[in-house]
Amino acid sequence: MPGPDLIDHSPHHPSPSAKLSNASNLVLIDNYDSFTWNVYQYLVLEGASVTVYRNDEIALEQLIEQEPTQLVVSPGPGHPDNDAGISCEAISHFSGKIPVLGVCMGEQCIFKVFGGRVDVTGEILHGKTSPLRHDDKGVYAGLPQDLPVTRYHSLAGTHATLPDCLEVSSWIASGPDGDKGIIMGVRHKTLLVEGVQFHPESILTAEGRSMLKNFLHMQGGTWAENATSQRHLSTEPNVNGHSAVSSEVSKADGKASGLRGKESILDKIYQRRRQAVETQKGIPSQRLSDLQDLYDLGLSPPQISFPDRLRSSPYSLSLMAEIKRASPSKGPIAMHICAPAQARKYAMAGASVISVLTEPDWFKGSIDDLRAVRQSLEGLRHRPAVLRKEFIFDEYQILEARLAGADTVLLIVKMLDASTLERLYIYSQTLGMEPLVEVNNIEEMETAVKLGAKVIGVNNRNLTSFEVDLNTTSKLMDKVPSSTIVCALSGISGPEDVRAYKNHGVRGVLVGEALMRSSNVNTFVSNLLGLSIERGNSNVQSGILVKICGTRTPEAARAAIEAGADMIGIILVEGRSRYVEPQVALAISEAVHQKSRPHKFQNSAALRNDFSKAVEHFEHTAGHFRHPDRALIVGVFQNQSLDHILAQQRLLNLDVVQLHGSEPVEWASLIPVPVIHRFATADSGVATRGYHSLPLLDSAAGGAGKLLDMEPVRKLLEHDTGLRVVLAGGLHPDNVINKLNELLDVRGQVVAVDVSSGVEHEGSQSHERIRDFIQAAKSTS
């Protein structure tokens, strides 16, 4: 039984194309291989008239007399040196005169004819499928990356002997970054000669028929002649009576255009996405009505204003940082990337917007990427806006984006007619999202301005030819009202690319590939946009904080504050040995609120002047525990009802609530003061952003004096450099310094230490031990 991952890509009910006048006499050389019939079938289905000759049954002179319009050399067993018959001789003669294609052994013959060496690959493959990477040119034009292709070979051309006149057109990716591994295709740089090592005619190869279709539409013996022929075809009237060059690319109403017989890459992407969206809309739970129900229930994440976020940047130009694993023009870029991790890097580097490509076939993205990116930004102060970068033509995609957490969506003028563009623009606004409207020329810019777009992105890459002109943005600036935000999109890789934009009034730049390939995002952004213009840092840390817990009298609280305590903890859990009655707890709270800390212990919580750069959740919330002139009163609860906790917080005027049991993490969002939540180092919720202000790491339920193992703490903090914690568990004046030192380089991620039994003597708090503990802890800062 075949495996579940095997898909029959053959045309089950093949529909023949119209006969091609330019392929009226194609010659197919058969290298004694059964696959020759399948190659023949695909060629005929695509409109070619084909004659087949065995490789040892016709002489070159006889072939020349046939005056073939194209030459295709089939697969076959053996080595091109000994088993290809007339194949190599035919390739040598017809190259530069007519289009030539070699398949499997035919590709190896091309490699040999032009001076390369065919050698063993180290593996024998028989019917194996592999994901194919390619350069999106020639037979691969308009096809997605990572196509499954079928391989039957043990030989291949070698990189070391690749002739200068040939280029690698496709390959099997090697390593996490998709480096070029075994050669799967070659192309002559000037002559119209292509070869594929795999089998496009196999039923397990995707888009095999499209590859042969692309080949059959080529004309001439050189690529230059082919380009001239295609230009000539493009100026002929199409079926609608308009010039194919002047007609726009595929519109949302389904009218296809472009070169006759050859769709542009935008056409192909549009058609693929339209099919995928229509299929998805029919799945229960994913229908438009289902998404609307979710939205009506208020399940879309909170959003921010896209234009406002662009206006608030730590740089002179706002950065729109893009998550892009691959592209049609460059192929694989960073296939291994973790989208939410990359998003956090972008946010910390000062990005105003994070663009997430969600197209799956050519760009290798998904709506799940966007959802994960939005979740990764939860809790960040002044987080970036999230853009869904997608080929959008339907309200469904916009609603889907909002539910996943997008703050804005991309609308491409080139692919939408005027009425569809306006309809989608207005619909996006009804969901609270101001779209990014993309243009590439004067006509499209006029359309966007007439629409009233507040943010216009000028794509420096032509979506039909994929050529990049960095001057495109600057040329269109005089067409835009001064109140409109203009951003430059595509092709930006270094500071020299953005220098002119600042002088022309451009407000932002979108950078994708260069950032994805960068080994250090912060350094790249600083080099690209210059130094940050904001003043000040996040909340200035004034050394480690100390929380004295288990306090039972107002006098003990005052003594601890006098000694330098930053927080005074009271146990509000009945049955615990350090529990205090409500009347006593109220007296302690009043004492803490009234007692000023000695001047030498006061915190200088200098806040950032400019709120334009994202700050990690825990870095920001750590500042909530630094009162400038007094200590904070902390009420400790354990497995009590939320209503009880809220009532006690109001009654006792608690500055902080500490949850020390198995309370749900989300309770923190319902408590009106900062929350410290107790965790073991292995607990899953310890690093969850957007809820508790700080996690407290303890070895037991609290107050037991059991030492906390520092090794898992160190590993936890090394794994998540944005995490900040309160440390508890068996600390006392004689070990607190050593315990903190055990954390090595991550010691700075400890915001506070918490002590209870470690400052007691014979069951009561010792003022001397409290003083010694505070002095020791603060000496580590």
Side-chain angles (χ1 to χ4, degrees), residues 215-499:
F215 171 71
L216 290 176
H217 284 277
M218 299 173 187
Q219 297 187 34
T222 66
W223 294 111
E225 291 174 1
N226 179 64
T228 300
S229 297
Q230 298 303 326
R231 282 196 297 270
H232 174 71
L233 284 174
S234 69
T235 57
E236 295 179 0
N238 64 18
V239 294
N240 294 318
H242 301 291
S243 167
V245 163
S246 63
S247 62
E248 297 178 356
V249 296
S250 179
K251 298 293 186 179
D253 62 3
K255 294 180 180 177
S257 60
L259 297 179
R260 173 184 288 183
K262 182 178 180 182
E263 296 175 310
S264 73
I265 185 62
L266 185 59
D267 290 327
K268 289 179 179 290
I269 295 174
Y270 166 74
Q271 293 297 340
R272 184 72 63 87
R273 293 305 294 142
R274 193 169 188 84
Q275 293 169 5
V277 170
E278 286 304 313
T279 299
Q280 185 175 323
K281 287 164 70 174
I283 300 173
S285 81
Q286 297 187 50
R287 297 165 299 193
L288 179 59
S289 59
D290 297 319
L291 299 192
Q292 188 63 52
D293 288 342
L294 298 179
Y295 184 78
D296 292 342
L297 285 170
L299 298 184
S300 57
Q303 62 191 138
I304 61 176
S305 166
F306 170 51
D308 289 350
R309 191 61 181 87
L310 281 172
R311 294 187 183 98
S312 175
S313 171
Y315 303 101
S316 55
L317 282 176
S318 293
L319 173 64
M320 303 171 69
E322 188 157 87
I323 295 173
K324 177 166 65 174
R325 294 189 180 90
S327 75
S329 59
K330 296 297 179 67
I333 296 171
M335 298 293 288
H336 64 286
I337 210 71
C338 171
Q342 188 76 354
R344 283 190 183 172
K345 291 180 183 179
Y346 288 167
M348 294 301 100
S352 297
V353 178
I354 295 177
S355 169
V356 185
L357 274 152
T358 60
E359 193 283 323
D361 295 317
W362 282 267
F363 294 91
K364 304 305 177 186
S366 71
I367 194 68
D368 290 330
D369 280 339
L370 188 143
R371 188 175 290 108
V373 164
R374 177 62 183 85
Q375 290 170 351
S376 75
L377 303 177
E378 193 66 45
L380 291 188
R381 190 186 74 174
H382 205 56
R383 70 167 177 85
V386 177
L387 162 69
R388 182 180 190 182
K389 188 92 173 288
E390 175 63 277
F391 299 84
I392 288 177
F393 48 82
D394 194 302
E395 286 87 348
Y396 180 92
Q397 297 167 288
I398 299 175
L399 182 56
E400 181 186 41
R402 179 76 281 276
L403 287 168
D407 300 294
T408 182
V409 295
L410 177 71
L411 298 179
I412 304 174
V413 173
K414 184 178 290 295
M415 66 175 286
L416 301 171
D417 61 54
S419 62
T420 303
L421 175 64
E422 182 177 13
R423 190 183 78 242
L424 296 179
Y425 181 81
I426 294 172
Y427 178 73
S428 181
Q429 287 183 318
T430 66
L431 300 183
M433 298 190 294
E434 177 64 33
L436 170 64
V437 180
E438 179 185 306
V439 304
N440 177 251
N441 55 43
I442 293 175
E443 292 77 13
E444 293 171 7
M445 177 63 84
E446 290 173 348
T447 298
V449 171
K450 182 179 179 181
L451 182 68
K454 296 180 176 64
V455 184
I456 297 175
V458 181
N459 197 339
N460 296 311
R461 176 176 283 112
N462 184 298
L463 289 179
T464 302
S465 67
F466 270 77
E467 294 178 354
V468 175
D469 179 2
L470 291 178
N471 293 320
T472 303
T473 302
S474 300
K475 292 174 184 176
L476 300 179
M477 286 303 297
D478 60 348
K479 306 294 181 182
V480 186
S482 59
S483 60
T484 304
I485 299 173
V486 176
C487 301
L489 316 178
S490 294
I492 298 166
S493 60
E496 64 281 358
D497 297 331
V498 302
R499 201 166 289 123

Side-chain angles (χ1 to χ4, degrees), residues 678-689:
R678 182 261 172 192
F679 294 94
T681 52
D683 288 346
S684 60
V686 61
T688 301
R689 269 71 167 174

Side-chain angles (χ1 to χ4, degrees), residues 42 60 64-65 79 85 194 203 226 250 264 333 355 374 396 474 663 672 699 707 734 738 759 771:
Y42 273 18
L60 180 62
I64 295 172
E65 290 174 0
H79 195 285
E194 288 224 46
I203 64 172
N226 179 64
S250 179
S264 73
I333 296 171
S355 169
R374 177 62 183 85
Y396 180 92
S474 300
E663 298 85 359
S699 58
L707 276 173
D734 299 324
N738 290 335
V759 293
R771 184 179 62 250

